[in-house]
Amino acid sequence: MKKVDVAVIMGSKSDLGVAREAEKILKEFKVKCEMKVLSAHRTPKATAKYVEGAEDKGIKVIIALAGKAAHLAGVIAAHTVIPVIGVPMDTRDLKGIDSLFSTVQMPAGIPVACMAIGTTGAKNAALYAIGILALSDKMLGKRLLGYRKEQTRSILKTKI
Ligand code: RP5
Protein backbone atom coordinates (compact mmCIF):
# COMPACT_ATOMS: atom_id res chain seq x y z
CA MET A 1 0.00 0.00 0.00
CA LYS A 2 1.30 3.48 -0.95
CA LYS A 3 2.50 5.44 2.10
CA VAL A 4 0.48 8.58 2.76
CA ASP A 5 1.18 10.97 5.66
CA VAL A 6 -1.47 13.63 5.09
CA ALA A 7 -4.92 13.35 3.53
CA VAL A 8 -6.36 16.50 2.00
CA ILE A 9 -10.12 16.05 1.74
CA MET A 10 -12.38 18.61 0.12
CA GLY A 11 -16.17 18.74 0.17
CA SER A 12 -16.49 19.47 -3.55
CA LYS A 13 -14.34 19.68 -6.67
CA SER A 14 -15.15 23.40 -6.55
CA ASP A 15 -12.78 23.56 -3.52
CA LEU A 16 -9.85 22.19 -5.54
CA GLY A 17 -8.15 25.53 -6.32
CA VAL A 18 -7.81 26.27 -2.59
CA ALA A 19 -6.88 22.67 -1.74
CA ARG A 20 -4.01 22.91 -4.24
CA GLU A 21 -2.46 25.64 -2.06
CA ALA A 22 -2.12 23.12 0.77
CA GLU A 23 -0.87 20.44 -1.62
CA LYS A 24 1.78 22.81 -3.03
CA ILE A 25 3.29 23.38 0.43
CA LEU A 26 3.14 19.69 1.39
CA LYS A 27 4.94 18.82 -1.85
CA GLU A 28 7.54 21.54 -1.23
CA PHE A 29 8.31 19.76 2.07
CA LYS A 30 8.21 16.34 0.34
CA VAL A 31 5.34 15.22 2.57
CA LYS A 32 3.31 12.43 0.95
CA CYS A 33 -0.30 13.46 0.60
CA GLU A 34 -3.43 12.26 -1.14
CA MET A 35 -6.30 14.43 -2.32
CA LYS A 36 -9.93 13.28 -2.18
CA VAL A 37 -13.35 14.75 -2.80
CA LEU A 38 -15.70 13.51 -0.08
CA SER A 39 -18.71 15.26 1.36
CA ALA A 40 -20.22 15.06 4.84
CA HIS A 41 -23.67 15.52 3.29
CA ARG A 42 -23.50 14.19 -0.27
CA THR A 43 -21.34 11.08 0.38
CA PRO A 44 -21.67 10.43 4.14
CA LYS A 45 -21.04 6.67 4.01
CA ALA A 46 -18.00 6.93 1.72
CA THR A 47 -16.58 9.66 3.97
CA ALA A 48 -16.89 7.47 7.08
CA LYS A 49 -15.41 4.47 5.23
CA TYR A 50 -12.40 6.44 4.00
CA VAL A 51 -11.69 7.90 7.44
CA GLU A 52 -12.04 4.54 9.18
CA GLY A 53 -9.36 3.15 6.84
CA ALA A 54 -7.03 6.14 7.25
CA GLU A 55 -5.07 4.80 10.24
CA ASP A 56 -4.27 1.56 8.39
CA LYS A 57 -2.89 3.64 5.52
CA GLY A 58 -0.54 5.37 7.99
CA ILE A 59 -2.22 8.77 7.62
CA LYS A 60 -1.12 11.00 10.49
CA VAL A 61 -3.02 14.22 9.81
CA ILE A 62 -6.20 14.99 7.89
CA ILE A 63 -6.88 18.39 6.34
CA ALA A 64 -10.57 18.95 5.54
CA LEU A 65 -11.73 21.86 3.40
CA ALA A 66 -15.42 22.64 3.13
CA GLY A 67 -17.80 25.51 2.58
CA LYS A 68 -21.30 26.64 3.58
CA ALA A 69 -22.73 24.28 6.28
CA ALA A 70 -19.18 22.96 6.54
CA HIS A 71 -19.53 19.83 8.65
CA LEU A 72 -16.81 17.85 6.85
CA ALA A 73 -13.96 18.40 9.33
CA GLY A 74 -16.23 17.68 12.30
CA VAL A 75 -17.71 14.54 10.79
CA ILE A 76 -14.23 13.27 9.92
CA ALA A 77 -13.05 13.98 13.48
CA ALA A 78 -16.04 12.02 14.79
CA HIS A 79 -14.72 8.89 13.03
CA THR A 80 -11.04 9.00 14.03
CA VAL A 81 -8.52 10.21 16.61
CA ILE A 82 -6.13 11.31 13.85
CA PRO A 83 -5.69 15.11 14.22
CA VAL A 84 -8.09 16.94 11.88
CA ILE A 85 -7.40 20.44 10.57
CA GLY A 86 -10.44 22.24 9.14
CA VAL A 87 -10.26 24.92 6.47
CA PRO A 88 -13.47 26.95 6.06
CA MET A 89 -14.02 27.87 2.40
CA ASP A 90 -14.92 31.36 1.29
CA THR A 91 -18.55 31.54 0.11
CA ARG A 92 -20.43 33.97 -2.09
CA ASP A 93 -23.46 34.48 0.14
CA LEU A 94 -21.91 34.79 3.61
CA LYS A 95 -18.22 35.38 2.80
CA GLY A 96 -17.11 32.18 4.53
CA ILE A 97 -18.51 33.12 7.94
CA ASP A 98 -20.98 30.24 7.50
CA SER A 99 -18.10 27.81 6.83
CA LEU A 100 -16.00 29.25 9.66
CA PHE A 101 -18.69 28.89 12.32
CA SER A 102 -19.67 25.41 11.07
CA THR A 103 -16.05 24.25 11.28
CA VAL A 104 -14.88 25.93 14.47
CA GLN A 105 -17.83 25.41 16.81
CA MET A 106 -17.19 21.75 17.63
CA PRO A 107 -18.69 20.26 20.78
CA ALA A 108 -16.25 19.36 23.57
CA GLY A 109 -14.77 15.91 23.07
CA ILE A 110 -14.36 16.01 19.27
CA PRO A 111 -11.67 18.58 18.46
CA VAL A 112 -10.98 20.18 15.08
CA ALA A 113 -8.11 22.66 14.61
CA CYS A 114 -9.73 25.42 12.57
CA MET A 115 -7.63 27.61 10.27
CA ALA A 116 -8.48 30.94 8.61
CA ILE A 117 -11.00 31.19 5.77
CA GLY A 118 -9.83 30.23 2.25
CA THR A 119 -6.34 30.24 0.78
CA THR A 120 -4.62 31.54 3.92
CA GLY A 121 -6.21 28.72 5.88
CA ALA A 122 -5.19 26.10 3.31
CA LYS A 123 -1.55 27.23 3.41
CA ASN A 124 -1.52 27.30 7.20
CA ALA A 125 -3.22 23.90 7.38
CA ALA A 126 -0.32 22.42 5.43
CA LEU A 127 2.24 24.16 7.66
CA TYR A 128 0.38 23.04 10.78
CA ALA A 129 0.29 19.45 9.51
CA ILE A 130 4.03 19.65 8.81
CA GLY A 131 4.54 20.93 12.37
CA ILE A 132 2.71 17.88 13.74
CA LEU A 133 4.73 15.47 11.57
CA ALA A 134 7.94 17.27 12.56
CA LEU A 135 7.43 16.21 16.19
CA SER A 136 8.64 12.75 15.16
CA ASP A 137 10.78 13.75 12.16
CA LYS A 138 13.82 15.89 12.99
CA MET A 139 14.76 16.59 9.36
CA LEU A 140 11.28 17.87 8.62
CA GLY A 141 11.50 20.09 11.70
CA LYS A 142 14.77 21.56 10.39
CA ARG A 143 13.18 22.29 7.02
CA LEU A 144 10.23 23.98 8.75
CA LEU A 145 12.61 26.17 10.72
CA GLY A 146 14.44 27.01 7.49
CA TYR A 147 11.13 28.01 5.87
CA ARG A 148 10.42 30.38 8.77
CA LYS A 149 13.91 31.88 8.62
CA GLU A 150 13.60 32.47 4.89
CA GLN A 151 10.21 34.13 5.42
CA THR A 152 11.69 36.45 8.05
CA ARG A 153 14.69 37.21 5.83
CA SER A 154 12.56 38.06 2.82
CA ILE A 155 10.33 40.42 4.84
CA LEU A 156 13.27 42.21 6.46
CA LYS A 157 14.93 42.83 3.10
CA THR A 158 11.80 44.58 1.75
CA LYS A 159 12.69 47.99 0.32
CA ILE A 160 9.97 50.64 0.32
C1 RP5 B 1 -19.49 22.30 0.35
O1 RP5 B 1 -20.35 23.12 -0.34
C2 RP5 B 1 -18.23 22.24 -0.48
O2 RP5 B 1 -17.12 22.07 0.37
C3 RP5 B 1 -18.19 23.54 -1.22
O3 RP5 B 1 -17.31 24.48 -0.62
C4 RP5 B 1 -19.62 24.04 -1.14
C5 RP5 B 1 -20.28 24.16 -2.48
O4 RP5 B 1 -20.17 22.93 -3.18
P1 RP5 B 1 -20.62 22.85 -4.70
O5 RP5 B 1 -22.08 23.15 -4.74
O6 RP5 B 1 -19.80 23.86 -5.46
O7 RP5 B 1 -20.30 21.42 -5.12
O8 RP5 B 1 -20.01 21.02 0.53
Short mmCIF file of all heavy atoms in Angstrom, two decimals, residues 145-159:
data_model
loop_
_atom_site.label_atom_id
_atom_site.label_comp_id
_atom_site.label_asym_id
_atom_site.label_seq_id
_atom_site.Cartn_x
_atom_site.Cartn_y
_atom_site.Cartn_z
N LEU A 145 11.89 25.03 10.14
CA LEU A 145 12.61 26.17 10.72
C LEU A 145 13.27 27.00 9.62
O LEU A 145 13.23 28.24 9.66
CB LEU A 145 13.68 25.61 11.67
CG LEU A 145 14.05 26.47 12.87
CD1 LEU A 145 12.83 26.76 13.73
CD2 LEU A 145 15.11 25.74 13.71
N GLY A 146 13.81 26.33 8.63
CA GLY A 146 14.44 27.01 7.49
C GLY A 146 13.42 27.85 6.73
O GLY A 146 13.70 28.97 6.31
N TYR A 147 12.22 27.30 6.57
CA TYR A 147 11.13 28.01 5.87
C TYR A 147 10.80 29.30 6.62
O TYR A 147 10.65 30.37 6.03
CB TYR A 147 9.93 27.07 5.83
CG TYR A 147 8.67 27.62 5.21
CD1 TYR A 147 8.37 27.39 3.87
CD2 TYR A 147 7.75 28.34 5.98
CE1 TYR A 147 7.20 27.88 3.30
CE2 TYR A 147 6.58 28.83 5.42
CZ TYR A 147 6.31 28.59 4.09
OH TYR A 147 5.13 29.07 3.53
N ARG A 148 10.71 29.19 7.95
CA ARG A 148 10.42 30.38 8.77
C ARG A 148 11.52 31.43 8.65
O ARG A 148 11.27 32.61 8.54
CB ARG A 148 10.28 29.98 10.23
CG ARG A 148 9.01 29.24 10.57
CD ARG A 148 7.85 30.22 10.69
NE ARG A 148 6.67 29.53 11.13
CZ ARG A 148 6.27 29.47 12.42
NH1 ARG A 148 6.96 30.06 13.36
NH2 ARG A 148 5.17 28.82 12.73
N LYS A 149 12.77 30.95 8.70
CA LYS A 149 13.91 31.88 8.62
C LYS A 149 13.92 32.61 7.29
O LYS A 149 14.16 33.81 7.23
CB LYS A 149 15.23 31.12 8.83
CG LYS A 149 15.50 30.81 10.29
CD LYS A 149 16.85 30.16 10.49
CE LYS A 149 17.09 29.86 11.96
NZ LYS A 149 18.10 28.83 12.16
N GLU A 150 13.63 31.88 6.23
CA GLU A 150 13.60 32.47 4.89
C GLU A 150 12.47 33.51 4.80
O GLU A 150 12.63 34.58 4.21
CB GLU A 150 13.44 31.35 3.84
CG GLU A 150 13.25 31.80 2.42
CD GLU A 150 14.30 32.79 1.93
OE1 GLU A 150 15.46 32.74 2.40
OE2 GLU A 150 13.95 33.65 1.08
N GLN A 151 11.34 33.19 5.41
CA GLN A 151 10.21 34.13 5.42
C GLN A 151 10.61 35.43 6.12
O GLN A 151 10.36 36.53 5.63
CB GLN A 151 9.05 33.44 6.14
CG GLN A 151 7.78 34.22 6.24
CD GLN A 151 6.65 33.33 6.72
OE1 GLN A 151 5.77 32.96 5.95
NE2 GLN A 151 6.64 32.98 7.98
N THR A 152 11.24 35.28 7.28
CA THR A 152 11.69 36.45 8.05
C THR A 152 12.69 37.27 7.22
O THR A 152 12.57 38.49 7.11
CB THR A 152 12.37 35.98 9.36
OG1 THR A 152 11.44 35.17 10.07
CG2 THR A 152 12.80 37.14 10.23
N ARG A 153 13.64 36.55 6.62
CA ARG A 153 14.69 37.21 5.83
C ARG A 153 14.06 38.00 4.68
O ARG A 153 14.39 39.16 4.46
CB ARG A 153 15.65 36.15 5.28
CG ARG A 153 17.02 36.63 4.90
CD ARG A 153 17.82 35.53 4.21
NE ARG A 153 17.18 35.10 2.96
CZ ARG A 153 17.25 35.73 1.81
NH1 ARG A 153 17.98 36.83 1.71
NH2 ARG A 153 16.62 35.29 0.73
N SER A 154 13.12 37.39 3.99
CA SER A 154 12.56 38.06 2.82
C SER A 154 11.72 39.28 3.23
O SER A 154 11.67 40.27 2.51
CB SER A 154 11.77 37.08 1.96
OG SER A 154 10.43 37.10 2.26
N ILE A 155 11.10 39.24 4.39
CA ILE A 155 10.33 40.42 4.84
C ILE A 155 11.28 41.55 5.25
O ILE A 155 11.09 42.71 4.90
CB ILE A 155 9.37 40.04 5.99
CG1 ILE A 155 8.23 39.18 5.43
CG2 ILE A 155 8.79 41.29 6.68
CD1 ILE A 155 7.39 38.48 6.45
N LEU A 156 12.33 41.18 5.96
CA LEU A 156 13.27 42.21 6.46
C LEU A 156 14.05 42.88 5.34
O LEU A 156 14.53 43.99 5.51
CB LEU A 156 14.21 41.61 7.49
CG LEU A 156 13.54 41.20 8.82
CD1 LEU A 156 14.55 40.59 9.77
CD2 LEU A 156 12.81 42.37 9.46
N LYS A 157 14.16 42.20 4.19
CA LYS A 157 14.93 42.83 3.10
C LYS A 157 14.02 43.68 2.17
O LYS A 157 14.48 44.22 1.18
CB LYS A 157 15.73 41.78 2.32
CG LYS A 157 14.95 40.93 1.38
CD LYS A 157 15.87 40.13 0.48
CE LYS A 157 15.03 39.55 -0.64
NZ LYS A 157 15.48 38.35 -1.24
N THR A 158 12.74 43.79 2.56
CA THR A 158 11.80 44.58 1.75
C THR A 158 12.22 46.04 1.70
O THR A 158 12.48 46.66 2.73
CB THR A 158 10.37 44.52 2.36
OG1 THR A 158 10.02 43.15 2.55
CG2 THR A 158 9.35 45.19 1.45
N LYS A 159 12.35 46.57 0.49
CA LYS A 159 12.69 47.99 0.32
C LYS A 159 11.42 48.74 -0.06
O LYS A 159 10.71 48.35 -0.97
CB LYS A 159 13.74 48.14 -0.81
CG LYS A 159 15.06 47.45 -0.55
CD LYS A 159 16.13 48.47 -0.19
CE LYS A 159 17.51 47.85 -0.14
NZ LYS A 159 17.68 46.80 0.87
#
